[in-house]
Amino acid sequence: MKSTTLKKKLYVCSFCGQRATTNRLLIQSNASAICQQCINFTYNLLQSSLKENDFNTDEFASPPPPQEIKDYLDLHVVGQNQAKKILSVAAFNHFNRIYLNNANSTTLNDSQIEKSNVLLIGPTGTGKTLLAKTLSQFLNVPFASSDATSLTEAGYVGDDVENILLKLYHASDGDIERASHGIVFIDEIDKITRKSKNPSITRDVSGEGVQQALLKIIEGTVASIPPQGGRKHPHQKTIKMDTQNILFICSGSFVGLDSIIENRLSHANVGFDAKRKDGTKESLLEKLIPDDLINFGFLPEFIGRLPVNAYFDSHSVHTLYQILTEPKNSIVAQMQKLFKHIGIELIFEKDALHSIAELSFERKIGARGLRTIIEDILLETMFEAPSNPTIKKVIVNNETVKRTSKPEYEYAQPA
């Protein structure tokens, strides 16, 4: 006859030490018990932790509408309204696509929506990188920026294309699921065009070879990433990342592309002097077709994976002036914050700002050149001021920009 061991009845919660009552029920195991209140507390604690640390792809069920995305971009990037609209719609469609594909994954008859990566075309300093980075900040997704000029075909000196995904992995703090729903920005994409239309006895490892290597990653594949970067080798441990839900934004200045378009349209009145219906000047880039990019040196398959194109106009003097003052994180605001930290008020007179914008426009260096000019103007001041506690105000005027005088200083009044 088998002997049975009776379980000892417990009347106290092993976690909080409170006795069981009609309002405090206990769940008992062989050697411990937990009350109803401790169970509820633990459950709420776990739920809060999951919300803070886990990446939930359901958040893409309702991405912000394109108008809301553009409104946010307007706060940080001046001008380029058409490019903002195109990028806002592309981002909205991309994350809607993720949700719809996940929702339809259990239904065999429903078709999967292919992703549409983006190609940004325009002169340097027109806001391409800033626009992509600001978009990722608003959508709260990981962002990684890479330069295509450092990439080479596998087996040659340079970076493997998988290294651009490694940056995204690091940007997501090692969360592979979060990284696989991020944004990758590849700049200088126009530098990986084919070097010649004619066959060559040497391999084009930094041009056509890179395009071939990028094809599957941009389209969507499970890539093997070396955790330490560099070249892969057969015995190396790798990280697997699915790129199907990563939005790729490629960018380049495409010097000479306008000539290709102009040659194609040489018999039509659509040159730089053509006008839109609203009376503004029409850009040749608005007449771009895929064949123009193929003639520029891209593979047809590569262009097919970047179906959304946005065009950036060169900044006018007025736009450069707005860039100096209007964005929330404007260059002027940044410099004023630096001076405020050392107890100095920095003032730019309106005429000085206009002169800075005109100088950047003349040098054809775009918005990036604005910081260069300001840093150059304030070099001596930034060298002297931190060591002189009596300086309380620095005024930059038109003469300062034209280098006919130094910035004006105002000093603290003697006690």
Side-chain angles (χ1 to χ4, degrees):
M1 182 176 181
K2 292 183 177 180
S3 61
T4 58
T5 302
L6 295 176
K7 184 166 65 174
K8 183 181 178 180
K9 184 72 172 177
L10 298 177
Y11 297 97
V12 176
C13 176
S14 302
F15 292 86
C16 66
Q18 298 294 319
R19 294 185 61 82
T21 65
T22 54
N23 294 324
R24 186 182 293 275
L25 303 179
L26 291 181
I27 297 176
Q28 182 179 341
S29 67
N30 288 334
S32 61
I34 184 171
C35 68
Q36 183 179 1
Q37 282 80 357
C38 285
I39 292 173
N40 290 337
F41 175 79
T42 306
Y43 174 79
N44 291 332
L45 188 65
L46 288 172
Q47 289 298 312
S48 176
S49 178
L50 287 171
K51 287 179 181 178
E52 289 179 2
N53 300 318
D54 283 2
F55 180 72
N56 183 8
T57 57
D58 287 343
E59 68 183 75
F60 293 118
S62 300
Q67 183 63 61
E68 189 175 327
I69 297 174
K70 183 181 179 296
D71 288 344
Y72 183 82
L73 297 177
D74 286 337
L75 295 175
H76 297 81
V77 183
V78 174
Q80 313 298 354
N81 286 321
Q82 187 64 19
K84 289 176 190 172
K85 287 181 181 179
I86 293 171
L87 200 55
S88 299
V89 171
F92 177 77
N93 289 339
H94 175 78
F95 291 113
N96 259 339
R97 163 192 164 275
I98 295 175
Y99 169 70
L100 291 173
N101 284 346
N102 288 340
N104 296 336
S105 60
T106 57
T107 308
L108 296 177
N109 293 331
D110 284 332
S111 59
Q112 293 288 299
I113 303 173
E114 298 294 331
K115 68 172 177 173
S116 297
N117 299 300
V118 183
L119 178 63
L120 308 181
I121 303 171
T124 183
T126 51
K128 301 185 293 295
T129 306
L130 179 59
L131 206 56
K133 188 174 183 178
T134 305
L135 176 67
S136 69
Q137 291 171 348
F138 180 63
L139 297 174
N140 192 28
V141 295
F143 175 81
S145 177
S146 295
D147 195 322
T149 56
S150 65
L151 303 175
T152 59
E153 191 176 345
Y156 294 84
V157 175
D159 289 336
D160 280 336
V161 294
E162 286 82 5
N163 282 314
I164 63 178
L165 300 177
L166 180 62
K167 292 183 179 180
L168 188 64
Y169 177 73
H170 289 158
S172 61
D173 297 324
D175 187 337
I176 197 68
E177 181 64 22
R178 183 170 171 80
S180 64
H181 293 79
I183 295 176
V184 169
F185 180 79
I186 307 176
D187 200 8
E188 305 289 354
I189 199 70
D190 54 321
K191 304 303 188 293
I192 63 167
T193 54
R194 287 177 291 183
K195 301 300 181 284
S196 174
K197 294 182 180 180
N198 300 319
S200 174
I201 59 172
T202 58
R203 195 173 181 89
D204 187 7
V205 299
S206 62
E208 184 175 346
V210 177
Q211 292 186 50
Q212 296 280 6
L214 283 171
L215 286 177
K216 290 303 296 181
I217 289 179
I218 291 179
E219 181 182 25
T221 188
V222 178
S224 298
I225 310 166
Q228 304 303 324
R231 287 295 181 189
K232 292 186 295 182
H233 57 79
H235 304 292
Q236 185 179 23
K237 184 180 291 186
T238 59
I239 303 166
K240 302 294 183 183
M241 183 186 295
D242 190 350
T243 66
Q244 182 63 39
N245 293 325
I246 296 175
L247 178 62
F248 286 86
I249 302 176
C250 297
S251 157
S253 55
F254 290 83
V255 176
L257 181 60
D258 52 352
S259 298
I260 294 174
I261 301 172
E262 192 170 24
N263 288 336
R264 176 173 57 83
L265 302 172
S266 57
H267 300 293
N269 183 26
V270 290
F272 288 109
D273 294 329
K275 302 288 182 179
R276 301 187 185 97
K277 291 181 179 179
D278 60 4
T280 59
K281 190 170 69 174
E282 188 176 42
S283 169
L284 279 174
L285 291 176
E286 295 181 31
K287 301 295 182 179
L288 181 73
I289 62 174
D291 282 350
D292 297 325
L293 292 168
I294 294 171
N295 289 331
F296 191 78
F298 283 103
L299 299 173
E301 312 94 279
F302 189 81
I303 294 304
R305 285 159 175 79
L306 298 167
V308 180
N309 300 159
Y311 322 112
F312 286 68
D313 297 321
S314 297
H315 289 311
S316 64
V317 174
H318 176 67
T319 304
L320 290 169
Y321 174 78
Q322 290 178 299
I323 292 171
L324 281 171
T325 57
E326 291 186 5
K328 294 181 67 174
N329 193 35
S330 70
I331 302 168
V332 169
Q334 292 177 40
M335 299 305 295
Q336 288 173 333
K337 185 176 181 180
L338 283 173
F339 274 78
K340 185 178 180 181
H341 179 68
I342 57 175
I344 298 175
E345 182 184 3
L346 177 63
I347 297 175
F348 286 87
E349 293 185 350
K350 190 173 182 179
D351 288 346
L353 293 174
H354 275 293
S355 294
I356 292 171
E358 289 172 357
L359 191 58
S360 180
F361 181 79
E362 290 170 4
R363 294 179 180 178
K364 298 182 179 180
I365 49 180
R368 282 195 186 95
L370 296 172
R371 177 177 289 277
T372 303
I373 294 170
I374 291 177
E375 292 271 1
D376 192 31
I377 290 170
L378 294 174
L379 175 62
E380 292 299 327
T381 302
M382 289 188 287
F383 180 78
E384 298 170 2
S387 303
N388 190 344
T390 64
I391 299 176
K392 292 302 175 185
K393 185 181 291 186
V394 174
I395 302 172
V396 178
N397 53 36
N398 199 29
E399 286 71 28
T400 307
V401 180
K402 293 181 177 180
R403 298 307 183 91
T404 57
S405 70
K406 292 176 62 176
E408 295 180 10
Y409 293 175
E410 290 188 11
Y411 298 91
Q413 297 295 327

